[in-house]
Amino acid sequence: MSVRRPLLTAVAAGILLCAMWFVPSANATSEQSTDQQQSAAADQENSAGLALAETGAGVDTTPYLIAGTAFLCVGAAFVAHSRRGASAL
């Protein structure tokens, strides 16, 4: 039983590192394109007056809800498993 605990920890850490691989970095665009976008947005704002941003109502959030629920269930299972293992000692 005590051999499984480090293995589960290593597997959980590996899964977390693999998941972090897909998180985009904050510097995904070059500074030049960012400056161009900001100046274009400022020009558009000045010519059209102030306008609200689009909310993106057409975005399908179902995959995010399913994945979030799955991660929540996996985390709850890890907590339940660790508590069950701690009470057996």
Side-chain angles (χ1 to χ4, degrees), residues 63-77:
Y64 299 104
L65 292 174
I66 292 171
T69 304
F71 279 113
L72 183 65
C73 291
V74 169

Side-chain angles (χ1 to χ4, degrees):
M1 181 69 171
S2 64
V3 175
R4 291 184 186 174
R5 186 170 293 159
L7 180 63
L8 287 175
T9 304
V11 169
I15 290 171
L16 181 63
L17 288 174
C18 288
M20 293 300 292
W21 180 270
F22 294 102
V23 175
S25 67
N27 297 326
T29 60
S30 66
E31 289 182 20
Q32 183 181 8
S33 65
T34 304
D35 291 339
Q36 290 172 352
Q37 289 173 353
Q38 287 176 350
S39 64
D43 291 341
Q44 185 179 15
E45 183 179 296
N46 290 338
S47 64
L50 295 177
L52 295 176
E54 291 187 29
T55 59
V59 177
D60 183 21
T61 58
T62 305
Y64 299 104
L65 292 174
I66 292 171
T69 304
F71 279 113
L72 183 65
C73 291
V74 169
F78 278 135
V79 169
H81 179 71
S82 68
R83 286 191 177 235
R84 193 174 336 143
S87 64
L89 296 175

